[in-house]
Structures are given as C-alpha cells and as structure tokens.
Amino acid sequence: MKIVKEWCMYCGECAGVCPRCLIEVGEATITFDESSCKDCEICVQACPVRALIKEE
Ligand code: SF4
Ligand code: SF4
C-alpha cells in the first residue's frame, strides 16, 4: 500500500479501519508503518478520495 499524500484530506478513515493500527493521521500529517502492512486493502477501500493505492 502506498499513500498519495497530495490527495489526502486527513479524514482519519483509514487509520480507523486498519486492523493493525499502522496508519496515524494528524491535522495535516499521515504516517504509515509499511514494515508491518499485510496489504489487506481494507484502508484502500475505506479512503473516500482514493489516496491509498495498492502496490503491485
Ligand atoms: S493494507 Fe491493511 S494492514 Fe496495510 S495499512 Fe491498510 S488496512 Fe493496514
Ligand atoms: S482515508 Fe484517505 S483521505 Fe482519509 S486520512 Fe486516510 S488516506 Fe487521507
């Protein structure tokens, strides 16, 4: 999973749905612990602006 930061509006949806709590969203920041990501795509589906993209 990768983040297109230019598209993110920091709504926090993705952080709320990640079963591993790997995404942290602040007022104008988003960070993601890539090392533990299982590519389950739950966050990808949850993002209203499609700022999260599954990497092939
Ligand atoms: S793909 Fe799954 S494990 Fe990875 S950040 Fe998104 S919700 Fe979390
Ligand atoms: S769900 Fe999308 S727009 Fe919302 S904080 Fe996550 S990446 Fe940004």
Side-chain angles (χ1 to χ4, degrees):
M1 197 277 287
K2 76 170 181 173
I3 303 170
V4 183
K5 291 190 178 174
E6 294 79 13
W7 297 349
C8 179
M9 55 185 191
Y10 313 110
C11 67
E13 286 289 325
C14 55
V17 297
C18 177
R20 295 174 160 247
C21 301
L22 302 181
I23 309 171
E24 274 190 51
V25 178
E27 271 186 41
T29 57
I30 179 165
T31 57
F32 159 56
D33 176 6
E34 200 167 341
S35 62
S36 304
C37 177
K38 292 298 171 203
D39 279 322
C40 67
E41 290 188 68
I42 294 173
C43 61
V44 174
Q45 311 270 344
C47 179
V49 294
R50 303 251 173 213
L52 305 177
I53 297 172
K54 181 171 170 66
E55 288 182 290
E56 300 302 329

